[in-house]
Amino acid sequence: MNSRLLKTIMTMVKHKPEQQTSHLTEPHPPGPLTLERVLEEFNGCSDLSHRTYPVIQADIIYFEHLVDNHKFINNVIIPLENIQREELGALLQQSQFVREEETKNVIQGILEGEAALFVPQGVYLISAYGPDVRSIEQSETESVIVGPHDAFNESLGTNLSIIRRRLKSNRLKVVQFEVGEVFKTKVCMLYIDGFANMDFVNRMSERIQGIEYSGVLDGSMFLQMIEDYPATIFPLYLSSERPDVAVSKLNEGRVLVLLDQSPSVIIGPTTVFEFFTSPDDYYSRWAVGTFLRLLRYVAFILTLTLTSMYVSITTYHYEMIPQNLLASMSESRSRVPFPPVLEALMMETTLELLREAGVRLPTKIGQTIGIVGGIVIGTAAVEAGFTSNILIIAVAMSAIASFVIPSYTMSGSIRLIRFLLIILSGMLGNFGFMFGLGLVIIHLSKLTSLGAPYTLPLAPIKPGDWKDTFIRGPFWMLSKRPTQSRTPNKTSNKMKK
């Protein structure tokens, strides 16, 4: 989808940030717009194509790998090769030829996949963008059993068209920006007029325009530049590759951000509890969806606390172990030469090494490494007396529970907190464990996402939102949009029992 067709399919209000002077900026030197000047700017770019037509005194320059070659040759190259000088004026009247008088605009147009035509009548930019893009495929990180299986790809135009096909409304607004001071990346902010709170829209717009960085490569990199608390380890914006999630969040009154060359959409404001929801919750029966959601919260508690509790109890609080289990646990621990905290840290680190190796290796090999490595290392460690059977069980259950959490970014944050709790438990026992949990809760309570409380609806308490936070209520119960969105239109549906 070329750039000019993209501008016609979306309702766009262009926000142009004020020009700011920055040490990152590489301004083009002043001077007249000439072919020699533009070619000088691209000096050393061997992939730049330059065609000359002496009959009509025309030159055209473009990047061949950024244009749709078939359409470009048929609509531009062949006509230029077969017309006379007196016919050139009529050709330039076509809509695909746009006259340009500024050097920087011509250079930027060429970089964005347009072709620059130099003729005696002036300089024209020709819309020709059409590089190869990845086809629409299923998301590998957010797979579902029931529901749509398409996912965003790296083409901004394709992603916008996917959303437009699902949300056929003129109330869907799209605001376009460019970020990056050396190389530009197109950014689109989406919201539904009448659903989204304009304070959030304006705040997101200000943060996008306030980015001063040489170049933004991906949405995950971008969201770290607009966060309220950049130092926190928790993700403050929801990121998703699924169009159905994006549209549902728009319907709730959220603000979305799409980046060119990024397959993920950024959603804000968000709460910590939204990282434990999945589209499967809504595509399944409400009772099944509620069970799955509660299961994720149980998994969250297990992965966060199980290993830490083992360290705390075996180090300081043997009286908490049931009498029937104490004998076997003592026998298993008697052969281990390390204190429980060091034992747990070694096993957790080994688990993280296996996890990272499984991700980096090819898919088939990675699965083998994860399974075989876990079994071999775990068995050998117990037989050699490096660790106890109980700890192997605790670490394995923690690892399995961490995979239940739908969000990879949130799962990574929880794994880091687990190491902190293990160290505190090894130093201070149950007091250190509870102290660590208290620090995490206090930290979560002060966080905000786009200025909205991160722990809503638990702090501050909004019981009306609990029916779609801790459980997945029937659709007739979900009549109001979330409180955090501060939407001017609170009614979501008017269904009855």
Side-chain angles (χ1 to χ4, degrees):
M1 184 179 297
N2 60 52
S3 59
R4 300 200 179 276
L5 181 58
L6 170 61
K7 295 176 184 177
T8 63
I9 67 167
M10 63 184 181
T11 305
M12 183 185 302
V13 181
K14 285 195 175 181
H15 284 206
K16 295 184 178 180
E18 296 182 1
Q19 297 295 324
Q20 299 179 352
T21 303
S22 171
H23 65 283
L24 295 174
T25 308
E26 296 181 354
H28 301 290
L33 174 56
T34 62
L35 174 64
E36 292 75 17
R37 164 83 186 287
V38 174
L39 289 175
E40 181 182 353
E41 289 292 326
F42 288 102
N43 183 35
C45 299
S46 60
D47 55 338
L48 184 73
S49 297
H50 179 196
R51 292 173 180 255
T52 303
Y53 303 92
V55 175
I56 57 176
Q57 297 181 348
D59 289 86
I60 188 169
I61 56 178
Y62 60 96
F63 286 107
E64 187 173 355
H65 45 76
L66 290 181
V67 302
D68 184 338
N69 280 313
H70 178 73
K71 186 166 60 175
F72 182 68
I73 291 174
N74 289 335
N75 297 342
V76 179
I77 299 301
I78 293 179
L80 289 175
E81 291 176 345
N82 293 285
I83 63 171
Q84 300 301 317
R85 185 179 304 177
E86 58 273 11
E87 300 173 336
L88 182 60
L91 178 66
L92 297 176
Q93 296 300 316
Q94 297 181 11
S95 59
Q96 62 183 340
F97 295 89
V98 179
R99 184 158 185 166
E100 188 54 69
E101 297 181 354
E102 294 190 18
T103 303
K104 64 178 182 179
N105 292 340
V106 172
I107 293 172
Q108 188 63 32
I110 295 172
L111 292 172
E112 293 179 355
E114 296 181 304
L117 177 65
F118 293 80
V119 292
Q121 291 89 333
V123 181
Y124 293 81
L125 288 178
I126 308 167
S127 177
Y129 186 72
D132 295 331
V133 296
R134 183 168 60 93
S135 60
I136 298 175
E137 300 171 351
Q138 182 174 344
S139 173
E140 295 184 1
T141 58
E142 299 175 77
S143 58
V144 296
I145 299 174
V146 182
H149 291 277
D150 57 340
F152 293 125
N153 63 14
E154 288 76 16
S155 170
L156 179 61
T158 302
N159 295 341
L160 282 170
S161 69
I162 292 174
I163 293 178
R164 284 286 185 189
R165 288 202 298 268
R166 280 180 163 83
L167 212 165
K168 299 180 177 68
S169 172
N170 61 344
R171 299 175 69 176
L172 173 60
K173 307 303 179 182
V174 180
V175 185
Q176 182 171 308
F177 305 87
E178 284 187 342
V179 297
E181 302 208 7
V182 175
F183 56 92
K184 305 292 184 180
T185 300
K186 288 185 178 179
V187 177
C188 286
M189 180 178 67
L190 288 72
Y191 65 95
I192 298 181
D193 188 23
F195 288 7
N197 186 298
M198 293 310 296
D199 288 340
F200 291 144
V201 174
N202 295 332
R203 193 171 297 167
M204 179 67 81
S205 174
E206 291 171 1
R207 293 187 183 181
I208 294 174
Q209 296 181 60
I211 293 176
E212 293 186 0
Y213 201 77
S214 58
V216 182
L217 303 178
D218 185 70
S220 300
M221 180 179 177
F222 171 84
L223 63 85
Q224 298 177 60
M225 300 178 182
I226 60 172
E227 289 180 334
D228 299 20
Y229 295 88
T232 183
I233 64 172
F234 291 98
L236 299 182
Y237 291 92
L238 191 64
S239 178
S240 178
E241 295 182 0
R242 295 187 58 83
D244 53 340
V245 173
V247 172
S248 69
K249 297 303 179 182
L250 283 170
N251 183 53
E252 291 178 359
R254 316 293 177 128
V255 181
L256 268 62
V257 177
L258 286 169
L259 272 76
D260 195 20
Q261 305 304 319
S262 175
S264 300
V265 61
I266 298 165
I267 303 165
T270 190
T271 70
V272 64
F273 303 104
E274 291 186 68
F275 293 93
F276 297 92
T277 64
S278 170
D280 272 329
D281 299 349
Y282 300 96
Y283 299 140
S284 305
R285 304 290 298 176
W286 72 269
V288 176
T290 297
F291 170 75
L292 293 175
R293 189 169 294 181
L294 292 175
L295 190 64
R296 294 189 200 107
Y297 287 119
V298 171
F300 164 68
I301 296 172
L302 286 176
T303 190
L304 191 64
T305 64
L306 197 57
T307 310
S308 304
M309 287 297 295
Y310 168 87
V311 172
S312 175
I313 291 173
T314 55
T315 305
Y316 298 100
H317 308 285
Y318 268 102
E319 68 277 4
M320 295 179 62
I321 304 174
Q323 192 68 29
N324 296 334
L325 183 61
L326 183 59
S328 62
M329 198 169 191
S330 300
E331 191 276 332
S332 178
R333 284 278 314 142
S334 63
R335 297 183 295 110
V336 179
F338 308 109
V341 61
L342 183 57
E343 177 191 8
L345 288 174
M346 287 193 302
M347 293 310 301
E348 289 285 355
T349 303
T350 302
L351 176 66
E352 293 300 322
L353 290 173
L354 287 172
R355 191 199 305 261
E356 190 67 14
V359 171
R360 303 302 168 194
L361 290 172
T363 304
K364 295 181 179 179
I365 302 176
Q367 292 175 351
T368 305
I369 289 293
I371 296 172
V372 176
I375 295 173
V376 171
I377 292 177
T379 304
V382 172
E383 292 179 353
F386 276 92
T387 185
S388 64
N389 290 318
I390 304 297
L391 178 62
I392 291 292
I393 295 172
V395 171
M397 288 185 64
S398 297
I400 293 171
S402 69
F403 290 122
V404 177
I405 299 171
S407 171
Y408 178 79
T409 53
M410 179 57 74
S411 177
S413 301
I414 292 171
R415 299 204 310 267
L416 285 178
I417 297 172
R418 193 165 64 203
F419 279 93
L420 171 65
L421 292 179
I422 289 172
I423 294 172
L424 289 175
S425 298
M427 293 172 59
L428 302 172
N430 284 350
F431 175 78
F433 175 71
M434 297 306 298
F435 177 74
L437 284 181
L439 288 178
V440 172
I441 293 172
I442 292 171
H443 178 68
L444 285 172
S445 299
K446 79 168 188 176
L447 295 178
T448 58
S449 174
L450 210 60
Y454 190 56
T455 51
L456 262 173
L458 196 59
I461 296 178
K462 299 291 181 181
D465 289 349
W466 289 8
K467 57 182 175 291
D468 194 24
T469 300
F470 303 107
I471 65 171
R472 202 285 273 178
F475 286 115
W476 59 266
M477 289 180 60
L478 310 181
S479 58
K480 302 293 183 181
R481 291 187 170 87
T483 303
Q484 193 201 40
S485 64
R486 299 177 190 172
T487 174
N489 187 345
K490 296 182 180 180
T491 302
S492 178
N493 69 70
K494 298 180 180 180
M495 292 178 60
K496 297 181 180 179
K497 282 187 180 181

